[in-house]
Amino acid sequence: MRVDSRKKGFTLVELLVVIAIIGVLVGLLLPAVQAAREAARRMSCSNNFKQIGLALHNYHSAYKQLPDHGGGTTVATGGNRVGGSAAAVPKVSNFLELSWLVGVTPFMEQQALWEQISNPLKDPKTGALWPPMGPNPRMDIANFNASYYAPWMTEIPGLRCPSDPGVGLPAKGRTNYLGCVGDSARYINGGVNDRGVDTNAAGARAACRGFFKHRRKSRFRDVLDGLSNTICAGEIATDLGDNDVRTRGNQQTGGSVSLANGNTRCDSKVDPERPGFWKTPPSAGFETAGGIPRAEQRRGYEWSMSRGIWGMLNTIKPPNSYLCADSNNFNDGIYPPSSRHQGGVHVLMGDGAVKFVTDSIEAGDQTSAHVSNESNRLPAGSKSPFGLWGSLGTRASKEIIDEDF
């Protein structure tokens, strides 16, 4: 009998075919795996927002009002914003520029951080004691050589979207969630100065129509349109230093952004070949404070700051549109929400529900003037000119939300 001595196995051709088949299968499955990962990150982002909503409701239950957006301490005699020396540190004020997020920290399992903020805190560099509620969040990075306030530099995990890759300086503590101030860019800072003096109550009543009113008290009972019909807060993407129109503000051309055609004031500065980026970056004077350029004047860079590009969003331009301000990043401007998710953003409704709003939401007449008590703008009490999107941002405009979003 003859014995077959040949070894059994794959030929080279068969092996290459098997490898090719495996490669094709991996190529087909990889997008599905990536999509599953993003779905998980998006779900985690939504859960973060739900926890913030729960903290907000617990705060209101405890204090019978919403946390101040634009709260803190007023200008003290001889005080300043920063405190560049041991003698200056105890006298600083935060100029009523603290975000509502500061107030809800003890309701977000951040009691230790709140204890640091609400009590005197020793500066590790100067040895002096920061006063309760600390300095102004806009303390720039350069001044950290002289003094340092740790809470404003702390990055809170619950304020970060897992889909957003932004990390590190020149940002301080980043956040992906900001409060909604309505559907008008006018009097966006509430008509109250940094000494707590009400300088324009009539203007604020007419234009400040959002869930939060800067430097003014708010309660759930102020939301006459219903908590489930009013956006409390929204998601933003933090800046990556890449000139993104959604995370770096630019300055208007041709008049205030709150006048007719104001929503197009920055159109000419967008790169027509790459519409997600600025072709003409903002001027040097636009991103300054006290005459000094501030690298931290970008979206999501200061969780504790209430003003402008850092702490506000409005329902004027649709989600993921560009940021456009009148004079600088602190004042009147168009600040839409944005995200790293595909096709839209998360918003937190007043009742604590989290919803996903697409970029294509109906946003009305984008050439309209904004609502204000001034001439050449829509009169106080007007229906939001920005359609469903605008009406979701107003707390008491008596508009009926009769469509799904």
Side-chain angles (χ1 to χ4, degrees), residues 68-72 94 96-100 102 133 135 137 152 304 306:
D68 289 342
H69 188 55
N94 53 49
L96 294 177
E97 292 187 350
L98 298 188
S99 165
W100 64 285
V102 174
M133 307 312 291
W152 299 164
S304 56
S306 67

Side-chain angles (χ1 to χ4, degrees), residues 77-92:
T77 303
N80 54 37
R81 288 185 175 90
V82 178
S85 67
V89 163
K91 301 178 182 179
V92 300

Side-chain angles (χ1 to χ4, degrees), residues 186-208:
R186 198 69 181 115
Y187 300 123
I188 201 167
N189 289 320
V192 178
N193 65 22
D194 52 19
R195 297 179 182 272
V197 177
D198 194 339
T199 60
N200 197 336
R205 281 195 301 269
C208 300

Side-chain angles (χ1 to χ4, degrees), residues 78-160:
N80 54 37
R81 288 185 175 90
V82 178
S85 67
V89 163
K91 301 178 182 179
V92 300
S93 163
N94 53 49
F95 281 37
L96 294 177
E97 292 187 350
L98 298 188
S99 165
W100 64 285
L101 293 171
V102 174
V104 298
T105 51
F107 298 90
M108 295 173 55
E109 299 184 356
Q110 293 293 328
Q111 183 65 33
L113 182 62
W114 172 249
E115 292 291 341
Q116 286 189 328
I117 296 169
S118 59
N119 291 292
L121 182 65
K122 185 175 182 179
D123 187 313
K125 295 187 177 181
T126 66
L129 288 177
W130 292 107
M133 307 312 291
N136 190 282
R138 72 171 87 169
M139 181 198 300
D140 62 285
I141 301 299
N143 276 310
F144 288 166
N145 294 326
S147 54
Y148 182 89
Y149 191 68
W152 299 164
M153 295 292 289
T154 301
E155 189 153 299
I156 302 172
L159 297 182
R160 294 306 314 277

